[in-house]
Amino acid sequence: MADSVRAQLLARLRAQETETEPEEIARALAALGHAQAARAPHPDVHTAFLANVLANQGTVELARDRGAAVQAIGRYLYQRFRTHKLVAGNDPRLAAMPWRDGGVLPRFGAAEAGDAAALSYAKLGVAETGAIVTFTGRANPGRNNLLPEDHLVLVNREDVVSTLEEAWVRIRKDTQAGNWPRGIQFIAGPSSTADVEAQLVLGAHGPRRWHVILVGDTPTSAVDAARESLAAAPL
Amino acid sequence: MKLASENFLQEASAALNAQEKVARRNLLGQFLPLARGSAASKYGDFDALRAHMKRVRRHTSEHLSHYLQQFEEAAVQHGNQVHFVADAEQLNSKVLSICQAHSARRVAKGKSMVTEETGLNELLLKAGLEVLETDLGEYIIQQAGETPSHIVGPAFHKSLAEIRQLFLDKHKLGERSLETASEVVEEARGILREQFLAADVGIIGANALVAEHGTSMLVTNEGNGDLCANLPPVLIVCTTFERLLPRAEDAVALQRLLVRSATGQPQTCYTSFYSGPRREDDPDGPLETHIILLDNKRSDILASDYREILDCIRCGACLNHCPIYIGVGGHPYGWVYPGPMGSVLTPLLTSLEQAQALPNACTSCGRCAEVCPANIPLPDLLRDLRQEESVQRIKPARWRHGLRLHAWLLRQPRLYQLSTGWTMSLLGWLGKRRGAFRRMPFASGWTGQRDFPAPEGGGTFMRQYAGRRRGARRG
């Protein structure tokens, strides 16, 4: 059944098309170019990223290095849940962090139904939309982004790109050796819904809170600048 | 889904009389266009983005067989099973056979207009499966036994009080207040979470199919579609070939248009690109994935003069800007897709004869075409469908003869001006006292809802125009 449907469909489509060599199609496609990215809320890419994370109802924090990141995570977990427990994927970058210094007790693996907080080390941050990018797999099981109450994300300063197109250039580079991940997820905020009388409610099915920690040497004034640029152009 | 567009006029009249619902729709009709407008202007040159997407779409549809095969090849390489199905029945039975092959009992569904179109739930339920819609809006209307009234917010027609009562009736959870939107969402979250974890099969739709990578793009705010795609051991993606785009960058351009046009956000909370079943070392994800590509008359539409409707990205902007849709809501349209896009798609996907009222549910105001992110000339397509109704003699004979008489009169300028001049003087004289008419022969449809204003003095537009031109020449 399916084979004949496929053959019939392709035959119908071909009957309407002018026969073109694949190289010719590729040339025509390349000539179309790409779309423009959205206007940035701030000229500095890291400030724009932070501003858009805030606009997406996320919270932000800066950490000079991985040690500071562990401290920040420890404080966050204690304030929110009075706990030091956390689930995180088997990301070598996460395994190498000084957890004991911050009093954090991570469990490495996939999130289960009762896990309150999960931590991801993002592949990328995208300033244009305030999104972080993760690949599903051992380093970040897909459910870790979705099941917990709070989703914490680390993103390195040098991994923040300005546009979605740049994000795809990086994604292609990271997946070259035929190791395409099952899922590539752009996450831009805690899970939300407006299905009840068009009122925005956070924590629909996925995380209720989304906390992004930018790791690297970012001046602390960047967070204030991000807030100011938001106040100047409220969403 | 069963077609009920034949009752459009009766249903629309009833909808106009439900005051509370009219007021809520009017609010949406103000709020959603504002959100869209603000998001579009913050983006930058939104019209250039629309034009770019149109070029990409045209290129894609000119080489659709190429991109379809490229997509299929890549998807199969990732480990997907790709199925082509011709119609609703084939899609439904394919899904059912996959469920049965896994002895599945519970199915969790993300929002999928394609499966609304094929009426999948009905068949699965009949076969004894538990099917749960997980998008909150879809869940609400599923519990209420209703159909979606909007393609983005399926339960926009229900008030918080109605949803509260529905949940109190359906969820046996004892005394609770449930008086805010947050409490309602919280309750649904708790119930659906268990279902996600227990589901044997997940079913989702796709916002785009990326040919170069063989991936499907899923755009949601709730994360329910992603839970369906990540937790159950079997995943089925139900989609159609016109979602194809050549490159990831084209999906990005689509995403920029779609989200701003739908909700006024720059990006939804979750935008995912799924490629297939879990990889060798993966700790989670489905073990088996299927992609079902439905035709359902789309290849006919592609070969017709209505092909541009296939560029529709299901954002709902044309609904939110349509005075008819905001006036009567989604249900009178009688099928899956309401509003301007639905008034074009429904007759093409079902039957023009049964859906003949829909292309006429249009004032030709043009707002839909102004905001359509895919630049679809919706008023033109609706006009062409109306003309087809005349050609195929679907329109009632009275209409056709009336229109023919009108067309003849328009081609006799002298007679036209004379007769309109007389009619106007007569109406002006008859209506001098009240200034308006409560009833008029042949126009009860118009005067049923409002008074017809009597013409003021000064003559017809043509006469005034001619007078001014003479005056200008003299002056």
Side-chain angles (χ1 to χ4, degrees), chain B residues 371-382:
Chain B
V371 297
C372 174
N375 270 351
I376 302 170
L378 288 157
D380 295 355
L381 299 183
L382 288 166

Side-chain angles (χ1 to χ4, degrees), chain A residues 24-210:
Chain A
E24 184 62 33
I25 297 177
R27 260 197 299 279
L29 178 63
L32 291 172
H34 294 158
Q36 282 270 318
R39 209 184 288 141
H42 196 278
D44 171 60
V45 66
H46 294 100
T47 310
F49 172 68
L50 294 170
N52 278 331
V53 168
L54 291 169
N56 294 335
Q57 317 278 339
T59 46
V60 296
E61 206 168 338
L62 303 177
R64 208 175 43 260
D65 51 32
R66 292 185 184 189
V70 167
Q71 301 289 336
I73 293 165
R75 277 195 305 275
Y76 183 95
L77 291 176
Y78 186 72
Q79 273 164 19
R80 270 285 287 155
F81 301 107
R82 294 280 181 270
T83 181
H84 300 287
K85 286 188 194 157
L86 178 74
V87 62
N90 278 299
D91 188 324
R93 294 183 292 177
L94 289 175
M97 287 176 67
W99 294 112
R100 224 176 283 166
D101 300 352
V104 180
L105 296 171
R107 174 172 65 78
F108 294 102
E112 298 302 334
D115 283 316
L119 174 70
S120 300
Y121 215 130
K123 291 263 177 197
L124 298 166
V126 188
E128 180 184 351
T129 57
I132 62 93
V133 182
T134 61
F135 292 179
T136 63
R138 271 176 59 79
N140 194 70
R143 57 202 292 160
N144 290 25
N145 296 345
L146 301 164
L147 282 181
E149 301 279 299
D150 288 33
H151 187 208
L152 288 82
V153 183
L154 298 174
V155 56
N156 286 341
R157 230 182 104 76
E158 59 272 23
D159 292 331
V160 176
V161 296
S162 62
T163 68
L164 288 163
E165 279 79 6
E166 282 175 48
W168 278 100
V169 170
R170 284 281 304 267
I171 290 170
R172 284 203 188 87
K173 215 181 275 169
D174 285 356
T175 49
Q176 249 164 13
N179 57 342
W180 199 267
R182 176 179 68 81
I184 297 170
Q185 297 172 317
F186 289 68
I187 299 173
S191 145
S192 73
T193 182
D195 274 347
V196 178
E197 289 196 340
Q199 295 178 42
L200 182 71
V201 178
L202 302 185
H205 292 297
R208 302 168 197 273
R209 295 184 195 214
W210 184 60

